[in-house]
Amino acid sequence: MPIFVDRRLNPKDKSLGNRQRFLKRAREELKRSIRDRIRIGKIADVDSEHAVSMPARGTAEPSFSDAKDSGRRQHILPGNKHFAPGDRVPKPGQGGGGSSPGKTVSEDDFRFVLSREEVLDLFFEDLELPDMVKLNLKEILAFKPRRAGFAATGSPTNINVGRTMRHSHGRRIALRRPRREELDAIEKELAILEAEPQSAAAHQRITTLREELERLERRRKRIAYVDPVDIRFNRFDAQPVPNANAVMFCLMDVSGSMGEREKDLAKRFFVLLHLFLKRRYDRTEIVFIRHTHEAQEVDEETFFYNTQSGGTVVSTALEEMRRIIEQRYPSNEWNIYAAQASDGDNFVTDSERCIGLMDGQIMRLCQYFAYVEIIDERESHIFGSTDNGTSLWRAYSAVNQRWPNFQMSRIANAADIYPVFRQLFARQPAFQKNA
């Protein structure tokens, strides 16, 4: 029988085994708290630690006790001077959400801090994501070689000529390697002496110069111009770097037909897309665009919670997105993603305008465009059908047939969000920019 021993080091001041047991016991309460935090929190804050308030009633340790409604047992109960047979005993006080003034003893809730990975696990589990996609979403940054000084060993292709010659020059000076100018000067003097009539002193001088020339040449050969100890290579260390920059456009209809349920589902969709981009790019900017009959760029708080009345003209949001791309996010420098959430309502004559904008400009600039139509849960049986759809759904169906980097789906609850992301992870768009 195999025996597995967990030798992982515990975090500081924490017991890993006890922590895992507690997470298993309190999973439902933690999931509920995570859902509430995501509903009222910022999108970027999902990918961070969360402090969760836990009620004291959910922290009691399990214990064994006798079942009161089964088995046979005998009891010997002592008498008392307070009650007689037939007296009614009042039940112990059952506190509600708070405590009343007096001597009642109560326990406060305690705060439990979840790590980033634990928050993501609970959030993904709520959305019914398979484990393979969880690993993809939690992927660390890519690593790429970066210059990190010099090394004495390496590949010949990484030789640094400047640093090598600097070491060579210093070594030649230290070892006093004869220079070419010294040898040329001796040879020139020898040529002059040999051309003149030779006396005894001149003959002695010639012999001395020849010996010195031979000695210098031997020394010059022994001391190499570039020695292996001089060679230096460019050193590279693997450092986390982004693959590219990415911007995500969040487009949502905020007219009266989009209620709190629809906005909550839209926010959960945007949370997943944001986490996906954040794992692969160092800079992931989010641009929020809301629209009724007119569109405007807003902050996150306004995007999700402010109300605005009016009709619905979707093309205004697409035009605002195109304008922002031209001003701030050139397509040759940025990976552009877009996510649109709507209930499908649109001005009838505007749907053709949307098709023209998508085919003519938007889809040529985007790496990926996801459209999510939020419907009532009672209508979930029509998923996948294009018949009797909204005007915007029919218009985007035509775009979907022409562009492989466009995906669309209907959702009715949180569990329906995953199919759109499965399509995103399953294939890479064959569409080329500026085609």
Side-chain angles (χ1 to χ4, degrees):
M1 178 178 180
I3 299 176
F4 299 93
V5 179
D6 188 352
R7 299 188 181 276
R8 291 176 294 178
L9 297 178
N10 290 334
K12 184 179 179 181
D13 301 329
K14 295 178 181 177
S15 173
L16 183 61
N18 291 339
R19 184 180 183 87
Q20 291 174 341
R21 284 192 293 270
F22 176 79
L23 289 174
K24 184 177 180 180
R25 286 170 42 206
R27 181 168 295 274
E28 292 303 321
E29 186 69 25
L30 293 173
K31 287 168 60 176
R32 181 196 59 79
S33 180
I34 291 296
R35 287 196 299 267
D36 294 342
R37 288 292 298 272
I38 292 173
R39 186 176 295 110
I40 64 176
K42 300 287 186 182
I43 286 181
D45 293 342
V46 176
D47 191 19
S48 61
E49 291 187 350
H50 279 213
V52 180
S53 295
M54 290 291 299
R57 66 177 182 274
T59 61
E61 290 292 337
S63 59
F64 293 97
S65 60
D66 295 331
K68 303 299 182 181
D69 56 349
S70 64
R72 292 184 60 185
R73 60 183 59 85
Q74 295 180 351
H75 298 278
I76 299 177
L77 302 176
N80 66 84
K81 57 183 178 180
H82 298 290
F83 302 101
D87 290 347
R88 293 192 175 186
V89 181
K91 292 182 178 181
Q94 299 180 359
S99 61
S100 58
K103 298 182 180 181
T104 304
V105 178
S106 61
E107 296 185 19
D108 294 334
D109 293 350
F110 81 97
R111 295 174 67 82
F112 184 77
V113 179
L114 293 171
S115 67
R116 178 180 61 88
E117 296 296 330
E118 291 168 345
V119 172
L120 290 176
D121 287 338
L122 291 172
F123 181 64
F124 293 156
E125 183 179 270
D126 179 61
L127 294 174
E128 301 179 1
L129 292 176
D131 293 339
M132 183 176 63
V133 178
K134 290 183 185 179
L135 295 176
N136 288 339
L137 285 179
K138 293 189 291 185
E139 182 181 354
I140 61 175
L141 291 174
F143 288 88
K144 184 178 181 180
R146 285 285 184 88
R147 281 290 305 276
F150 305 94
T153 59
S155 172
T157 57
N158 293 331
I159 291 179
N160 188 289
V161 177
R163 185 55 63 102
T164 298
M165 297 309 298
R166 181 185 299 181
H167 282 266
S168 172
H169 183 65
R171 181 184 54 80
R172 285 184 275 117
I173 293 176
L175 297 179
R176 297 182 179 180
R177 182 179 188 267
R179 295 180 299 171
R180 183 73 254 177
E181 292 82 358
E182 297 178 15
L183 275 68
D184 291 342
I186 294 176
E187 290 175 352
K188 184 177 179 181
E189 185 177 353
L190 277 173
I192 294 174
L193 292 174
E194 291 174 349
E196 296 176 354
Q198 297 183 2
S199 61
H203 182 74
Q204 181 66 27
R205 177 62 179 168
I206 290 173
T207 302
T208 303
L209 289 176
R210 285 176 177 172
E211 291 177 352
E212 178 67 14
L213 181 62
E214 291 177 359
R215 186 185 68 83
L216 293 178
E217 287 179 344
R218 289 196 304 269
R219 185 174 180 84
R220 186 177 172 86
K221 291 179 179 178
R222 287 197 303 267
I223 303 175
Y225 189 83
V226 177
D227 195 86
V229 299
D230 303 329
I231 300 176
R232 291 295 180 269
F233 300 86
N234 293 326
R235 181 187 172 197
F236 296 89
D237 283 347
Q239 297 181 1
V241 293
N243 295 331
N245 296 329
V247 57
M248 178 174 67
F249 285 86
C250 300
L251 292 74
M252 184 167 66
D253 177 12
V254 294
S255 61
S257 59
M258 288 285 289
E260 288 301 322
R261 186 189 74 87
E262 287 79 7
K263 290 182 180 179
D264 178 67
L265 290 176
K267 185 174 184 179
R268 296 165 75 86
F269 174 79
F270 293 137
V271 165
L272 281 180
L273 187 53
H274 176 261
L275 291 178
F276 168 73
L277 294 176
K278 192 173 182 180
R279 289 303 182 279
R280 286 156 176 77
Y281 304 101
D282 183 56
R283 294 178 56 197
T284 303
E285 297 191 10
I286 307 178
V287 178
F288 296 100
I289 300 176
R290 67 173 189 174
H291 72 91
T292 54
H293 59 281
E294 58 183 12
Q296 57 180 330
E297 181 182 0
V298 296
D299 57 20
E300 182 181 348
E301 187 74 19
T302 305
F303 182 77
F304 286 109
Y305 300 111
N306 280 20
T307 60
Q308 184 176 357
S309 61
T312 305
V313 181
V314 177
S315 63
T316 58
L318 300 178
E319 291 173 347
E320 179 70 8
M321 174 181 169
R322 180 191 60 184
R323 183 189 66 81
I324 294 174
I325 291 174
E326 293 176 352
Q327 291 183 355
R328 307 204 303 258
Y329 304 105
S331 59
N332 60 337
E333 299 177 7
W334 288 80
N335 290 280
I336 301 173
Y337 294 81
Q340 183 179 4
S342 172
D343 59 355
D345 288 345
N346 190 24
F347 193 66
V348 178
T349 58
D350 185 62
S351 296
E352 291 298 327
R353 170 69 174 162
C354 293
I355 295 177
L357 287 171
M358 295 290 283
D359 287 340
Q361 296 175 333
I362 299 298
M363 295 311 302
R364 298 181 183 274
L365 302 174
C366 290
Q367 297 291 112
Y368 178 77
F369 194 109
Y371 171 67
V372 174
E373 187 164 288
I374 302 172
I375 65 173
D376 191 275
E377 291 182 294
R378 294 170 296 183
E379 302 174 359
S380 59
H381 63 279
I382 67 171
F383 278 15
S385 174
T386 58
D387 297 334
N388 301 322
T390 62
S391 60
L392 188 58
W393 180 270
R394 291 193 297 269
Y396 279 170
S397 295
V399 177
N400 186 35
Q401 295 175 0
R402 290 189 289 269
W403 297 95
N405 56 331
F406 182 91
Q407 299 292 339
M408 58 191 299
S409 179
R410 291 187 174 108
I411 65 174
N413 50 59
D416 299 327
I417 296 176
Y418 170 67
V420 175
F421 281 87
R422 182 178 60 185
Q423 295 170 2
L424 176 61
F425 301 142
R427 63 173 182 175
Q428 295 293 331
F431 177 78
Q432 299 293 330
K433 284 188 177 182
N434 302 325

